[in-house]
Amino acid sequence: MEPNSSLSRRALLRAAAAGAAAATLGACQADGEAGGPATKAAKGSNAKGSVTKPLPVPGKLREAPSLAARVKAGALPSLSKRIPESPYVVPHRWQHPGKYGGTCYLTASAADDASIGQYMYGHSIVRWLNDGMEVGPGLAQSWESNDDFTRWTFHFRKGLRWSDGAPWTTADIMYWWEDTVLNPEHPEVPPEEAVSGKGTVAKITAPDDVTLVLEFDSPAALTPDRLADTVNRSVGADWLLPRHYLRQFHPKYNPKVTAKDWYVEHDNKANHLSNPDCPVTTGWHLSTYHEARNAVWERNPYYWCVDQAGNQLPFMDRMVWNAVKDQEVMKLQYTQGKADFAEGQHTNIDLADVEGLKQAAPRTGVQVWYWGSGSGSGSMFFFNYDYPDEAMRELIRKPEFRQALSHAYNRADVRKSLYYNTGELTTGTLSPKAPEFQVDAGSKKLYRSWRDSYVAYDPEKAKAILDRIGVVDKDGDGYREKPDGSKLVVRLDYPADTAKANIRKNDFLRRDWKAIGIRTEMNPVAPTSWSDMWNRGELMSNTAWEIGGGGIMSWPSWVIPTIPDTWAPLHGQAYIMRGTDPAALRKERDVSPWKRHPPWVLPEKGSPVGRLWSLYDRARLETDPLKRNRLLWDMCRVHIKDGPFFLGVVADYPQVILVHKELQNVPRRENLFLGGQINTWDIPVPAIYDPEAWFWSDPGKHS
């Protein structure tokens, strides 16, 4: 294959998207003062999408005046010695050259919150472009595979450096791989993108300082797509670590490290979100960290990206995140102008807050914008398919029971109250913008079939279904019992610190299910206990999440239980162990699933989960995009026939974005390829839009 190409899961979209992406941005030559002239494509406010072919490096490169002063004083090497021979040129059509300087203030629930990592794509080997429709270069400037997609070779930029000036090489990837992932003493496990469709861990080698080879025992056609998913060293796997810095905390390299749990300190030192000493390859590096107060990130002088006029990024001197745990306090700060930018999916701003934010805008200068959420559900409900109580589990696993509850749910009321009649009513699906629904008219029709499968509000139908499966009121108290006559209570579990919108939605569920004779109980759970309790299968339901963007192959766990976080936690754990520790499955097969270490269960023969696993395993090995899409569509049909496995409210409602009126190069909804697909972790937002290129129209006012 040609360098920098891949058999993308989005390949079938390219022809359909050609109209939106027709213009190709040429080389950007710029002279004069820092900033340079705007490119022709960037002048129009409606410039849409991003160029997917790597842009040529501008003939003249510039740096921030503060860095130039340090170079002149001998405190910093020249720009040519700080960036690679071929820096990454940010390809977004809506951007234009900016001005250096200033500070951007933001908020997060903690000073080291993972959402902070969502602003910086700088650790990623390759990147998503165009709202997740295309894969573009990152630290690797090109890549290719062999004919059967079992061997992938990535070519990295020559001259990359860490933020402390140390050279970056593929040894930093091999340190992560060999000394943490493959080290039996370290708890790190191989990420899914490094595991074949047969469940075998890839062989990873580095022939030289700028070349990395991944070898699989079966076709792995979607490897670039998987590497683009999530922000590395934050939400996704690390994939690279500063070897020169971390070796001092590793017993292999430092005999003074003797603690049995040495990896605890090692990993704390590797956490660039809380350790200012840890080198990075992102646009800003952590300079000051105050737990529970704030985190100050300063410009990285060695950042390897430039804009289309040749200006080294980032434009802004620093980014400051203030830690605000209480959601209502955070929203109050927005009305007081204490943040310059915020995106609702990470800050719990919702449509109910818009009026107050708009009223505050003349005073704060912060405007209310909207990006498309790409959500497939809105606030959702899903049962624990692996709940330990046998009678309740048997009922939960009956499609008719879940279908009855779906038909009893008046989503239109929730849509009006929480989403102000925006978005589209949905049973609950993957994102309507998922690639597998954008292929042709048939794929769009399949999406609508899934969306509409059990969305109709029909309480009489719900009652009839419950009567038919024996869920009836046997003792005359007005509430239905389980088929065995025992008391039926649907517990609405949620983390106690969940957004208020989720709790308001739960009130509607309780109202609507009471109307058909289903008793419910609200159950707030301590946030610190939530994940462990869910992974052990102890909770009955989850009422606090939603499905974001992305497609099945990039974020499969909502469609196929592949991790313990979603609707079949013990199945998800077994899926992981099947590939990483099959011996453990054999060792504890005679132990109760909920007493295993960790708890796990394998699918029953012919079960929906078993069919989903089988289809997904075949899709992971399939190299033909058409055949792979057919397998993905068959997975959706399992959800239509045997679902719903999760109940949504609305799909693709608008997500609130706050942008200071003087903050430039932030895309508007009309600039984005799909209008935005931001309620997801696998397509990292706003990192995908390169905040390093954002700038202040008057930096002096925002110092």
Side-chain angles (χ1 to χ4, degrees):
M1 299 181 67
E2 291 297 318
N4 209 35
S5 64
S6 69
L7 186 60
S8 171
R9 65 189 172 95
R10 293 160 170 78
L12 295 178
L13 292 175
R14 291 172 182 163
T24 301
L25 208 56
C28 306
Q29 302 295 333
D31 298 301
E33 297 180 358
T39 64
K40 183 176 181 180
K43 285 182 179 179
S45 61
N46 291 323
K48 191 180 186 74
S50 309
V51 178
T52 56
K53 183 178 179 180
L55 296 171
V57 179
K60 186 175 182 180
L61 302 179
R62 301 174 186 80
E63 61 190 336
S66 60
L67 298 183
R70 291 173 63 185
V71 172
K72 186 175 181 179
L76 196 66
S78 64
L79 178 60
S80 63
K81 295 180 180 179
R82 300 200 314 271
I83 62 174
E85 295 177 8
S86 179
Y88 177 70
V89 182
V90 175
H92 311 306
R93 292 188 175 92
W94 64 78
Q95 290 180 340
H96 55 94
K99 301 176 182 178
Y100 286 110
T103 299
C104 186
Y105 287 92
L106 308 104
T107 58
S109 60
D112 60 347
D113 193 74
S115 65
I116 296 174
Q118 290 291 97
Y119 283 74
M120 290 170 272
Y121 226 161
H123 291 132
S124 295
I125 294 174
V126 292
R127 302 175 169 210
W128 284 128
L129 294 172
N130 290 323
D131 286 336
M133 293 297 109
E134 299 283 349
V135 176
L139 290 166
Q141 62 183 19
S142 65
W143 58 92
E144 69 270 351
S145 77
N146 60 359
D147 290 340
D148 66 356
F149 304 101
T150 59
R151 179 185 173 99
W152 286 90
T153 304
F154 292 85
H155 306 282
F156 291 83
R157 303 173 193 277
K158 294 181 180 179
L160 288 164
R161 292 185 177 273
W162 291 96
S163 55
D164 61 358
W168 183 98
T169 72
T170 49
D172 295 305
I173 294 178
M174 297 310 298
Y175 176 85
W176 162 76
W177 182 247
E178 294 178 343
D179 295 325
T180 67
V181 177
L182 300 185
N183 186 336
E185 296 178 352
H186 197 284
E188 185 87 357
V189 297
E192 192 173 358
E193 60 267 29
V195 177
S196 77
K198 292 183 177 180
T200 308
V201 176
K203 178 183 177 182
I204 301 179
T205 56
D208 56 50
D209 286 351
V210 292
T211 307
L212 189 76
V213 179
L214 280 67
E215 295 181 86
F216 299 89
D217 65 355
S218 56
L222 299 176
T223 295
D225 298 55
R226 290 180 172 276
L227 288 174
D229 283 342
T230 70
V231 168
N232 295 145
R233 296 188 70 194
S234 176
V235 177
D238 289 327
W239 271 100
L240 51 121
L241 290 170
R243 178 176 179 267
H244 68 285
Y245 169 70
L246 290 174
R247 282 183 300 179
Q248 63 185 306
F249 309 109
H250 198 298
K252 177 180 175 180
Y253 303 96
N254 184 356
K256 295 182 180 179
V257 177
T258 58
K260 186 176 181 179
D261 60 350
W262 59 268
Y263 50 82
V264 174
E265 182 182 13
H266 176 277
D267 292 0
N268 285 337
K269 295 295 185 180
N271 186 354
H272 70 292
L273 296 177
S274 60
N275 177 18
D277 294 332
C278 185
V280 297
T281 55
T282 50
W284 297 275
H285 67 92
L286 183 65
S287 62
T288 305
Y289 176 78
H290 296 108
E291 186 175 357
R293 286 174 50 197
N294 61 31
V296 179
W297 292 68
E298 301 278 353
R299 176 188 288 111
N300 174 8
Y302 296 88
Y303 191 48
W304 46 278
C305 301
V306 301
D307 75 353
Q308 297 156 15
N311 301 302
Q312 185 194 24
L313 301 175
F315 282 121
M316 286 189 285
D317 294 334
R318 64 191 61 84
M319 304 280 274
V320 178
W321 273 272
N322 290 314
V324 185
K325 186 68 174 177
D326 187 276
Q327 296 172 11
E328 296 308 309
V329 173
M330 184 182 289
K331 292 178 181 181
L332 178 63
Q333 290 197 358
Y334 295 145
T335 63
Q336 296 172 340
K338 293 185 178 180
D340 301 311
F341 177 86
E343 10 82 59
Q345 75 274 25
H346 292 141
T347 54
N348 291 316
I349 310 169
D350 56 39
L351 294 168
D353 303 312
V354 166
E355 186 59 32
L357 292 167
K358 284 186 174 180
Q359 291 178 1
R363 182 180 70 256
T364 64
V366 177
Q367 303 169 320
V368 176
W369 291 5
Y370 302 97
W371 287 344
S373 66
S375 174
S377 64
S379 180
M380 65 194 297
F381 167 92
F382 55 95
F383 277 116
N384 171 7
Y385 200 75
D386 301 325
Y387 192 60
D389 179 84
E390 185 176 358
M392 190 65 201
R393 182 175 68 255
E394 183 178 344
L395 192 56
I396 287 171
R397 290 188 178 182
K398 280 185 180 293
E400 298 89 347
F401 179 62
R402 290 177 272 113
Q403 291 163 11
L405 295 187
S406 184
H407 284 304
Y409 185 16
N410 190 343
R411 292 171 172 86
D413 280 359
V414 185
R415 181 191 185 199
K416 181 179 180 181
S417 178
L418 269 63
Y419 299 97
Y420 294 79
N421 286 325
T422 61
E424 54 189 44
L425 292 178
T426 182
T427 297
T429 70
L430 212 59
S431 171
K433 296 178 179 180
E436 44 268 38
F437 300 139
Q438 308 299 320
V439 176
D440 55 22
S443 66
K444 295 179 185 294
K445 182 178 179 181
L446 177 66
Y447 163 71
R448 292 193 295 271
S449 296
W450 188 4
R451 178 195 66 188
D452 299 339
S453 53
Y454 305 103
V455 76
Y457 175 55
D458 191 339
E460 294 306 313
K461 183 176 183 178
K463 292 176 184 177
I465 294 173
L466 293 173
D467 290 344
R468 191 165 64 246
I469 63 174
V471 180
V472 297
D473 179 8
K474 295 183 178 181
D475 59 11
D477 67 350
Y479 290 103
R480 297 172 184 266
E481 280 73 49
K482 300 171 191 170
D484 66 357
S486 61
K487 184 177 180 180
L488 171 59
V489 178
V490 172
R491 203 172 62 229
L492 303 177
D493 300 323
Y494 58 89
D497 63 349
T498 192
K500 287 188 175 180
N502 293 322
I503 298 174
R504 290 168 60 199
K505 174 261 301 174
N506 289 350
D507 288 334
F508 285 98
L509 287 176
R510 180 166 56 181
R511 180 202 68 182
D512 293 342
W513 291 346
K514 180 180 179 181
I516 61 166
I518 299 293
R519 183 187 283 108
T520 64
E521 291 179 357
M522 294 285 196
N523 182 41
V525 176
T528 53
S529 304
W530 175 269
S531 292
D532 288 340
M533 292 181 68
W534 183 264
N535 292 352
R536 292 194 299 264
E538 296 171 2
L539 299 172
M540 184 184 290
S541 70
N542 186 330
T543 67
W545 285 9
E546 77 172 85
I547 295 177
I552 294 176
M553 298 308 293
S554 67
W555 203 256
S557 57
W558 285 115
V559 179
I560 317 105
T562 57
I563 57 176
D565 303 69
T566 57
W567 50 272
L570 272 66
H571 280 87
Q573 183 61 54
Y575 188 89
I576 294 173
M577 296 172 67
R578 186 182 67 158
T580 60
D581 193 8
L585 297 180
R586 296 189 295 269
K587 182 179 179 181
E588 293 192 309
R589 62 185 176 184
D590 296 327
V591 178
S592 166
W594 295 272
K595 294 182 179 180
R596 292 166 177 163
H597 302 86
W600 58 267
V601 66
L602 291 169
E604 297 175 358
K605 187 176 181 180
S607 69
V609 175
R611 282 179 280 137
L612 288 168
W613 276 20
S614 177
L615 288 165
Y616 182 54
D617 289 346
R618 290 165 59 193
R620 292 187 65 186
L621 298 174
E622 184 54 67
T623 61
D624 184 315
L626 284 171
K627 293 179 180 179
R628 185 166 58 244
N629 272 326
R630 293 191 185 104
L631 293 168
L632 303 184
W633 297 333
D634 283 344
M635 294 179 208
C636 298
R637 293 186 179 99
V638 172
H639 279 252
I640 294 171
K641 178 179 180 295
D642 296 290
F645 297 104
F646 41 82
L647 304 185
V649 180
V650 297
D652 201 28
Y653 61 90
Q655 185 59 267
V656 179
I657 306 296
L658 302 183
V659 185
H660 195 286
K661 64 182 180 181
E662 296 176 7
L663 194 58
Q664 306 296 303
N665 272 351
V666 183
R668 291 183 176 271
R669 190 169 183 171
E670 58 266 25
N671 298 132
L672 302 178
F673 193 78
L674 294 177
Q677 187 175 193
I678 69 171
N679 277 33
T680 179
W681 290 95
D682 60 320
I683 302 172
V685 174
I688 190 175
Y689 308 138
D690 288 285
E692 294 86 354
W694 299 356
F695 67 93
W696 290 111
S697 55
D698 185 353
K701 292 169 58 179
H702 300 275
S703 298

